[in-house]
Amino acid sequence: MNPPVETKIVLVGAGNVATQLGMSLQEKGFSIVQVYSRTPISAEMLRNRLQTKFTHDLRAIDRNADLYLFSLTDAALPEIIKNFPPVEGLLVHTSGSLSADIFKEGKSVRQGVLYPLQTFGKLRKVSFDALPLFIEANHPEDEDWLEALALTLSNRVIRLSSDRRKQLHLAAVFACNFTNHLYALAAELLEKQNLPWDILLPLIRETAAKAADSHPRAVQTGPAIRGDQNVMNIHLEMLKENPAMQELYRMLSRSIRQIELRQK
Amino acid sequence: MNPPVETKIVLVGAGNVATQLGMSLQEKGFSIVQVYSRTPISAEMLRNRLQTKFTHDLRAIDRNADLYLFSLTDAALPEIIKNFPPVEGLLVHTSGSLSADIFKEGKSVRQGVLYPLQTFGKLRKVSFDALPLFIEANHPEDEDWLEALALTLSNRVIRLSSDRRKQLHLAAVFACNFTNHLYALAAELLEKQNLPWDILLPLIRETAAKAADSHPRAVQTGPAIRGDQNVMNIHLEMLKENPAMQELYRMLSRSIRQIELRQK
C-alpha cells in the first residue's frame, strides 16, 4: 500500500505551500517531475530549490505523473482546473476551504485533498513531522494511497470530510490569521510610543506555550475575564482616536465574557 | 549602587505574579521576609514555595523592609493601600495600568513601579532572564536602585513613564489576552466537530515564531489579506448561528485590510 518512491509528482503552483510540500516530498525520496506556475519568477525560485523541470504552459504538463498536487489560491484554482489537460493520475489540492470534488463533480475523475494545518511563509522551513495533515479522496483506494503518502511526511494524518475540513479551516483563521493581526495591532501601539515591537516576543511566546500546557479557556487572563471595568474604560478612552480598534477591543472583551458563560 | 542581597522584601499579594517574582528574587539571594495575602489559601501555597513568614493582617506587616512589592489586581490595590501601615521602605507595584503615584500623591512617599511584560499562570514557571521589565520611581535615587534590582533578574530593564506604560499594557492586552481568546474560539469550533483542539498547536506555535522572525505585518496570511471575498462569505455563512463571532470575524477581516492601508 505504501506509495513507491518512484511515484511521480507534478506540482501545480509554486507558492509557499507548494515549495515546502515539494521540498519535504523530495526529501522523502519522491520524484517531483515538474512544477507548473503562472508566474516565472516564483517557479524559478522553486525550481532552484527543487532541482526539477518547470513550465508555465498548461499544455506542457507531464501527463504521466501519479499525483498532481494543486497548491494555488482558492481564487486561482478554478481557472487552472478548467484549462488543465486530461490526465489519469490523482488530482489533489491543498486548500482548507474547497471541496474534494472541485476538479469535476462525481467519480469520473480521481480527486482528493491533502490539507496541512499550518501557515507557510517564504523564509521559514516548516517541519512536517508532527504536522496534522487532513486527507480525503473520492475513491477509497486513492484515499488509502494518499494516507500512506501523507504518513511518510507526518505521524498525524487524519481522514476528514470536506464539510468538517471547512470548519477546521475557519478555526485556523481565528488561531493564525486573526492572531497574527492582533500581534500587528499591538506592534502598532508600541511603535507609536517609539518602543520596539519585539519587546512583546516573550509575552507572545508564553501566551502560546501557556495555552498548549492546558487549554486556552483555562488560562484566560486580563481585564475582561476579571471583569475589571475600570481598566477596560481606560483602554477604550486610550483608543478613542481609532474607532475601529476601539470597537474591536469592546467586542473581544465582550466575547471573552460570553465564552465563559457558554462553558458554564 | 547594586542592592545588597540582604535587601529585605515584603510581598503584598500572593497571586501568580507575586509567586513567580518572589521565587525569582529569592533565587537571586534576596530575602523575602514576609508575604501578605487577604486569602490564606493562596498565601499558603506561596509560603510553601518561598519558605517565609506570612500574614493576612495588615497591622502585622513587617515595618523594617527595604522594599514592599504590591502584586494585586488593580481593583484590590486601593483598599490595601488605604489600610497599609506607614513604612519607610520603597513601595512598588507591578501593574501595567496604574500610575506610579498610586500610593500617595506627591513626593512624600517613596514609590515606584516594576512591571514585567509577561503573562503569569499558576503552573508554568516563567523565566525572567530576557523578560522586559519596566521601572519607574518618584525619587531618582530610588529609580537607580530599582533598576539595579531589576537588572539582577533580567537583562532587559527599561525606564518608562506611567503614561507610556499604560500604552504598553494596552498592547499586551491585544498580544496576549485577546490572542488567547482567539485560541479559545478556535478550540470551540473544533470541539463542535469532535476534533481535539490541540491539533491547532503546531499552527499556533508557527504563527508566533513566524511573527518573531520578521514582523507581524510582513507575514499576514489568510483570506482577508488576499481579499478573498468568496472564502470570507463562506466563513460568515458558517458562523450565522453565532452572531457575536460572526461580527468579530467581519471586524477582524476589515481591520486586517485597514492596517495594510495605514502602513502604505
Side-chain angles (χ1 to χ4, degrees):
Chain A
M1 184 48 65
N2 270 15
V5 288
E6 303 91 61
T7 296
K8 287 184 280 184
I9 301 172
V10 170
L11 296 182
V12 184
N16 300 336
V17 182
T19 304
Q20 303 237 11
L21 203 46
M23 287 196 299
S24 291
L25 285 164
Q26 203 168 58
E27 276 167 23
K28 297 297 176 184
F30 295 105
S31 300
I32 311 294
V33 294
Q34 192 183 39
V35 177
Y36 164 82
S37 170
R38 291 162 298 168
T39 51
I41 299 164
S42 59
E44 196 72 36
M45 191 191 84
L46 185 66
R47 183 180 53 164
N48 288 339
R49 287 168 92 167
L50 282 177
Q51 314 253 309
T52 184
K53 284 175 269 179
F54 109 102
T55 180
H56 50 95
D57 183 356
L58 282 176
R59 292 166 302 180
I61 287 285
D62 185 330
R63 313 264 172 120
N64 299 310
D66 304 292
L67 175 66
Y68 296 84
L69 210 46
F70 290 71
S71 294
L72 301 147
T73 62
D74 293 0
L77 207 46
E79 181 71 14
I80 300 287
I81 289 173
K82 209 179 85 188
N83 296 308
F84 206 74
V87 291
E88 286 181 11
L90 180 60
L91 305 174
V92 165
H93 72 72
T94 60
S95 164
S97 49
L98 295 175
S99 297
D101 64 354
I102 179 113
F103 297 98
K104 198 163 188 171
E105 274 188 44
K107 296 234 169 187
S108 65
V109 161
R110 296 171 55 211
Q111 53 191 337
V113 181
L114 171 68
Y115 173 55
L117 186 60
Q118 188 52 288
T119 176
F120 296 88
K122 287 209 186 305
L123 299 169
R124 294 175 53 83
K125 187 165 187 314
V126 162
S127 161
F128 278 78
D129 297 349
L131 200 66
L133 297 178
F134 298 88
I135 58 149
E136 188 184 4
N138 67 336
H139 293 281
E141 58 272 34
D142 282 338
E143 196 161 282
D144 291 346
W145 185 88
L146 196 57
E147 182 180 53
L149 180 107
L151 281 167
T152 66
L153 293 175
S154 166
N155 57 23
R156 207 155 187 193
V157 177
I158 301 163
R159 293 175 190 229
L160 200 72
S161 70
S162 290
D163 279 350
R164 295 177 77 207
R165 182 163 30 77
K166 284 175 198 180
Q167 294 284 346
L168 183 67
H169 181 241
L170 176 59
V173 168
F174 278 85
C176 167
N177 305 150
F178 289 165
T179 288
N180 183 74
H181 179 58
L182 294 183
Y183 299 160
L185 289 176
E188 199 178 44
L189 286 172
L190 291 192
E191 286 158 358
K192 274 186 193 157
Q193 298 297 317
N194 292 318
L195 286 166
W197 85 273
D198 66 359
I199 56 175
L200 288 170
L201 288 176
L203 180 64
I204 284 174
R205 287 196 194 98
E206 182 66 13
T207 302
K210 215 170 78 171
D213 262 11
S214 61
H215 189 293
R217 273 196 304 274
V219 296
Q220 184 66 53
T221 54
I225 195 79
R226 287 199 309 270
D228 191 336
Q229 198 59 54
N230 188 38
V231 169
M232 288 190 274
N233 288 343
I234 293 169
H235 285 165
L236 289 169
E237 171 69 18
M238 284 161 71
L239 291 169
K240 69 171 186 285
E241 278 162 40
N242 187 338
M245 203 165 163
Q246 191 188 49
E247 187 55 26
L248 211 47
Y249 184 101
R250 196 177 279 121
M251 286 204 63
L252 283 162
S253 296
R254 201 181 298 143
S255 183
I256 286 172
R257 300 309 292 258
Q258 283 170 342
I259 201 172
E260 202 194 14
L261 295 172
R262 278 205 291 284
Q263 301 300 326
K264 271 178 183 163
Chain B
M1 184 46 69
N2 271 15
V5 290
E6 304 90 62
T7 296
K8 288 185 276 183
I9 301 171
V10 169
L11 295 181
V12 184
N16 300 335
V17 182
T19 305
Q20 302 238 12
L21 203 47
M23 288 195 299
S24 291
L25 285 164
Q26 203 168 56
E27 276 167 23
K28 298 296 174 184
F30 295 104
S31 300
I32 310 295
V33 293
Q34 192 183 38
V35 177
Y36 163 83
S37 171
R38 291 162 299 167
T39 52
I41 298 163
S42 60
E44 196 71 37
M45 191 190 83
L46 184 67
R47 184 180 53 164
N48 289 338
R49 288 168 91 168
L50 281 177
Q51 313 255 310
T52 184
K53 285 176 267 180
F54 108 103
T55 179
H56 51 95
D57 183 355
L58 282 176
R59 292 166 302 182
I61 287 286
D62 185 328
R63 315 264 173 122
N64 299 311
D66 305 291
L67 175 66
Y68 296 83
L69 210 46
F70 290 72
S71 292
L72 300 147
T73 63
D74 293 359
L77 206 47
E79 182 72 15
I80 300 288
I81 289 173
K82 208 179 86 188
N83 297 308
F84 206 75
V87 292
E88 286 181 13
L90 180 60
L91 306 173
V92 166
H93 71 74
T94 60
S95 163
S97 49
L98 296 175
S99 296
D101 63 356
I102 179 108
F103 297 99
K104 197 162 189 170
E105 274 188 44
K107 298 234 168 188
S108 66
V109 162
R110 296 171 54 211
Q111 53 191 338
V113 182
L114 172 66
Y115 173 54
L117 185 59
Q118 189 52 291
T119 177
F120 295 87
K122 286 210 187 305
L123 300 169
R124 294 174 54 82
K125 184 163 190 314
V126 163
S127 161
F128 279 77
D129 296 348
L131 199 67
L133 298 177
F134 297 87
I135 59 148
E136 189 184 2
N138 68 335
H139 291 282
E141 58 273 33
D142 282 338
E143 197 163 281
D144 292 345
W145 185 88
L146 196 56
E147 181 180 53
L149 180 107
L151 280 168
T152 66
L153 293 175
S154 165
N155 56 22
R156 208 157 185 190
V157 177
I158 301 164
R159 294 176 189 227
L160 201 71
S161 70
S162 290
D163 279 349
R164 295 178 77 206
R165 181 163 31 77
K166 283 175 197 179
Q167 293 284 346
L168 184 67
H169 181 242
L170 175 58
V173 169
F174 277 85
C176 166
N177 305 151
F178 290 165
T179 287
N180 183 73
H181 180 57
L182 293 183
Y183 299 160
L185 289 176
E188 199 178 43
L189 286 173
L190 291 192
E191 285 158 359
K192 275 186 191 157
Q193 299 296 317
N194 292 315
L195 286 166
W197 85 273
D198 66 359
I199 56 174
L200 288 171
L201 288 177
L203 180 65
I204 284 173
R205 286 195 196 100
E206 182 67 14
T207 302
K210 215 170 77 170
D213 262 11
S214 61
H215 188 294
R217 274 197 303 273
V219 296
Q220 184 67 52
T221 54
I225 194 80
R226 287 199 308 272
D228 192 336
Q229 198 58 54
N230 187 39
V231 168
M232 287 190 274
N233 288 342
I234 292 169
H235 286 166
L236 289 169
E237 171 69 19
M238 285 161 70
L239 291 169
K240 68 172 187 283
E241 279 162 37
N242 188 337
M245 204 165 162
Q246 191 188 48
E247 188 54 25
L248 210 46
Y249 184 100
R250 197 177 279 122
M251 286 203 62
L252 283 162
S253 296
R254 202 181 297 144
S255 182
I256 286 171
R257 299 310 293 257
Q258 283 170 341
I259 200 173
E260 202 194 15
L261 295 173
R262 277 205 292 282
Q263 299 302 324
K264 275 177 181 164

